[in-house]
Amino acid sequence: QPVQMTQSKVAPKGGLEGVAVANSAIGKIDGTVGELRYCGYLITDLADHSDFTETVYLLWHGVLPTKGQYDQLKAELCAKREIPALVVDLLRRIADKQAPMDALRTAASLLSIEDGGGDDADREANLLRAVRLTAQFPTIVAAYDRLRDGQEPIAPRDDLGHAANFLYMLTGEEPNGEIAKMLDVCLVLHAEHGFNASTFAGRVTAATLSDMYSAVCSAIGTLKGPLHGGANTAVMQTLQSIGSADGVEAYLDEALARKEKVMGFGHRVYKVVDPRAIILRKFSQRTAEITGDARWFEMSTKLEGLMKERKGIDMNVDFYSASTYYSMGIKPDLFTPIFAISRVSGWIAHILEQLANNRLIRPRSNWVGQDSLDYVFIDQR
Ligand code: COA
């Protein structure tokens, strides 16, 4: 049963900090020791041994799949990669008018048009929707990126993994195996993170017994903000505006003097460094070695060190994902859509969990407005 919220006043800082709004068995974060587990499994073990498809199964079913279950989900995800012609038409029409994250939100909504489950909202029908949404997000993002560059979308291939196929659909070239593997691990790392803002938004929508597409669209809109998933794009913009490692210290001093938030640092839950960020730091270094251009990695390590020294604040998952994706040849405004390509799996897990034991999510606020005003007619104001 959901934990009862107290009638006491909200914490002075607000933001539901420290408030438990439901029971959940999907993602567990211990922010004091920097530990993240999906359904009991350490994120570091999943990064080392699992892949995105297996992680999706784990999140949706709560257990690791058998070989047969893994193969079946993989085949289902591959079979559903193609997006409806209507969605391609829509992307073509909006190609130079929306940022990729907005285009993903718009297109995700339209995916409901070919919904195989109709109005049926039971778990089986929702799992069919889950496969289609998860399979088609990469196709939408890649198609949109090409269309806005005046190029035709590239059809998905069913012989490539989730990450490799995405990179292939972006460029038309089969990606380097090591890069594709690193991107796949990035998808594992971003798939789930407890009651983060976008997941919460999705659960709130699902809890009204609205449909899965609406819940996912709520979540996409929430992920977009720079305090949440939009931070990875913002990190890259910061690095590009600084330009070189020599400029990092002056940038940081000025940003802190202006009391600006430095993108890619800080976290509501982690009090020590986020375990995902440590893996991503290695990927940033490795992709720099592969490209032979260490500029972004060097700037990032300098900024990380100075931020810790000046403010005692650690990097978060978005910090090194920026330089990693950029070194993979991906444009900065695709970074947050890539986050969504992964996190849609976690949103769906939470939507399913919410629906399995649903109660409307409807908190209260402390009233701080005026009471008992007499109505004043417009000509007397
Ligand atoms: N840069 C500079 N100062 C930061 C900071 C950052 N990125 N993150 C937190 N702080 C400081 C705040 O200024 C505040 O200091 P104060 O107490 O002296 O006012 C203190 O740390 C607490 O920050 P607060 O904003 O209250 O924490 P929060 O839990 O509400 O915010 C984030 C968490 C993630 C929204 C916040 O750290 C942030 O905005 N980070 C940058 C955006 C980002 O990377 N988001 C992705 C998160 S995965």
Side-chain angles (χ1 to χ4, degrees):
Q1 288 302 310
V3 174
Q4 197 78 41
M5 286 177 68
T6 66
Q7 296 291 306
S8 63
K9 290 194 170 182
V10 289
K13 278 182 122 179
L16 289 179
E17 182 166 352
V19 175
V21 292
N23 295 333
S24 182
I26 305 171
K28 181 170 181 244
I29 309 163
D30 185 339
T32 56
V33 294
E35 196 176 276
L36 169 64
R37 288 173 188 270
Y38 293 173
C39 306
Y41 296 99
L42 273 176
I43 192 65
T44 41
D45 285 343
L46 294 171
D48 283 346
H49 308 302
S50 188
D51 67 9
F52 183 65
T53 304
E54 183 177 77
T55 298
V56 169
Y57 189 98
L58 174 67
L59 294 172
W60 293 354
H61 299 279
V63 291
L64 289 170
T66 62
K67 175 85 171 66
Q69 289 164 334
Y70 174 86
D71 288 344
Q72 191 184 335
L73 179 60
K74 190 174 171 188
E76 285 170 5
L77 285 169
C78 285
K80 296 291 179 200
R81 281 178 178 165
E82 206 143 328
I83 51 178
L86 194 59
V87 175
V88 181
D89 285 351
L90 169 90
L91 295 174
R92 201 180 290 285
R93 280 169 178 246
I94 63 173
D96 55 352
K97 298 181 180 68
Q98 285 200 307
M101 194 60 180
D102 298 321
L104 176 62
R105 188 197 56 229
T106 305
S109 182
L110 192 56
L111 287 184
S112 67
I113 200 133
E114 287 196 349
D115 186 43
D119 289 337
D120 198 346
D122 67 17
R123 185 175 158 88
E124 286 315 305
N126 273 332
L127 278 171
L128 292 177
R129 297 182 179 108
V131 167
R132 293 174 64 238
L133 281 159
T134 307
Q136 293 177 5
F137 268 31
T139 318
I140 292 171
V141 175
Y144 189 71
D145 185 53
R146 290 185 65 83
L147 286 165
R148 70 177 170 152
D149 282 352
Q151 295 174 304
E152 277 305 297
I154 292 173
R157 271 177 43 183
D158 59 11
D159 59 332
L160 295 174
H162 208 70
N165 176 58
F166 171 64
L167 291 170
Y168 166 73
M169 289 189 295
L170 277 179
T171 62
E173 285 165 28
E174 219 173 290
N176 166 309
E178 191 182 353
I179 296 272
K181 175 61 190 161
M182 278 190 275
L183 184 60
D184 188 80
V185 177
C186 291
L187 299 182
V188 170
L189 298 178
H190 285 82
E192 157 59 13
H193 210 228
F195 264 61
N196 60 90
S198 56
T199 298
F200 182 52
R203 284 187 77 133
V204 169
T205 303
T208 69
L209 300 184
S210 180
D211 65 287
M212 183 173 276
Y213 299 94
S214 301
V216 165
C217 288
S218 296
I220 297 173
T222 308
L223 184 73
K224 177 187 161 184
L227 297 190
H228 189 10
N232 55 12
T233 297
V235 168
M236 200 61 226
Q237 287 162 347
T238 302
L239 295 177
Q240 286 175 316
S241 74
I242 298 171
S244 74
D246 292 344
V248 169
E249 191 160 7
Y251 154 77
L252 185 64
D253 287 341
E254 284 164 28
L256 294 179
R258 286 196 298 267
K259 301 226 174 294
E260 281 173 17
K261 287 278 177 68
V262 182
M263 292 291 126
F265 289 90
H267 201 275
R268 175 65 64 79
V269 183
Y270 289 110
K271 301 306 165 210
V272 295
V273 71
D274 177 337
R276 303 168 300 172
I278 296 169
I279 299 169
L280 287 161
R281 192 206 278 125
K282 287 188 201 139
F283 287 178
S284 172
Q285 181 168 21
R286 182 66 196 129
T287 49
E289 282 165 11
I290 292 172
T291 60
D293 178 3
R295 173 154 69 127
W296 311 108
F297 176 67
E298 281 168 7
M299 287 172 71
S300 301
T301 50
K302 191 160 180 191
L303 186 53
E304 183 200 346
L306 285 169
M307 188 69 178
K308 187 74 180 165
E309 199 179 291
R310 301 270 205 282
K311 294 285 287 182
I313 298 178
D314 286 304
M315 59 173 171
N316 58 44
V317 70
D318 295 303
F319 188 61
Y320 279 103
S321 62
S323 45
T324 299
Y325 294 154
Y326 197 70
S327 297
M328 288 177 176
I330 299 171
K331 294 173 193 140
D333 62 0
L334 297 184
F335 297 177
T336 314
I338 290 173
F339 196 154
I341 283 173
S342 164
R343 184 58 60 85
V344 67
S345 61
W347 293 332
I348 287 164
H350 278 268
I351 292 164
L352 296 171
E353 185 180 66
Q354 180 66 39
L355 292 175
N357 190 10
N358 190 51
R359 189 163 185 232
L360 180 75
I361 298 173
R362 202 306 188 187
R364 59 185 286 279
S365 63
N366 290 318
W367 178 247
V368 294
Q370 301 192 65
D371 286 316
S372 307
L373 296 178
D374 291 329
Y375 184 79
V376 181
F377 288 93
I378 197 163
D379 55 353
Q380 292 161 22
R381 289 174 211 161

